[in-house]
Structures are given as C-alpha cells and as structure tokens.
Amino acid sequence: QVVSGADGGYRFLTIKPGAYPWRNQPNAWRPAHIHFGIFGPGFVTRVVTQMYFPGDPLLQYDPIYQGVPEGARERLVSRFTLDATEADFALGYEFDIVLRGTRETPMEKSPS
C-alpha cells in the first residue's frame, strides 16, 4: 500500500516482475507489468490499471495491451529515468496515473 503525497506523487521500491505464461492460447505470455489499484474516498471507488515497461517485445502480442486504443497505449508504458534511479541499487521508472481528461490512463472496466 502506498499513499500519495499532497501533490499526488508516489514512490515505492520493488523487484521488476518478469513475463509469465498464460493459457489463453498456445505459447501465450503476458509482458512484465505491475497492477495498480487506486482508491478514492471509499472502497467502491477503486479503479485498476496496469503499468508496462518500455521496450518489452511481448507488448505486440498481449491482447490486454492491444485491446487499448492505439493512441492511449503509450499511457500504460512507464518511462525509465535516471532521476528516479538509485545508483548501484535500483533502476527508476516514472508512471503517471491520470484519472480524468484527454490524457486519462486507461483503466480496466468493472464487470456489469
């Protein structure tokens, strides 16, 4: 669990996930990604999105990523930055989550 600061910023340290197989078709793999569940004022205001890593060759084969409109896909890919990198310890990535507007981060739809 991470709570954003007053400016909406957040930071956490983790191990970069790896790709993993899933059985929706033969030899299908999910690209490396991290799920984000964002809560508003209450539990029922939760939205979920995924952050991918730049340059992942599996993005072109992932039906979830490919299911997002082409102009919005780049909003699901993090950006590597030396500013967030910790020397000799951890690579840093930035990922902006935008909840409304024309640059809104694509979110998973709730089941009806």
Side-chain angles (χ1 to χ4, degrees):
Q1 178 178 337
V2 175
V3 177
S4 66
D7 65 352
Y10 64 95
R11 181 180 172 96
F12 63 90
L13 184 65
T14 189
I15 296 170
K16 182 179 177 182
Y20 61 87
W22 60 328
R23 293 181 171 89
N24 67 332
Q25 62 188 13
N27 203 20
W29 290 79
R30 290 297 323 276
H33 63 281
I34 296 174
H35 288 264
F36 286 86
I38 301 102
F39 292 91
F43 187 76
V44 295
T45 58
R46 179 178 187 232
V47 292
V48 176
T49 191
Q50 297 179 44
M51 178 192 90
Y52 298 96
F53 293 88
D56 192 320
L58 293 173
L59 290 174
Q60 65 182 318
Y61 304 108
D62 186 57
I64 294 173
Y65 179 78
Q66 293 297 324
V68 172
E70 193 170 334
R73 288 180 197 152
E74 79 278 357
R75 289 182 244 151
L76 293 176
V77 179
S78 60
R79 296 170 306 282
F80 170 76
T81 174
L82 282 176
D83 291 338
T85 294
E86 295 187 28
D88 301 321
F89 184 65
L91 297 177
Y93 292 86
E94 292 181 345
F95 185 64
D96 298 325
I97 299 171
V98 179
L99 298 177
R100 292 191 191 110
T102 58
R103 299 289 303 158
E104 180 178 319
T105 304
M107 303 288 175
E108 295 176 11
K109 303 295 183 219
S110 298
S112 303

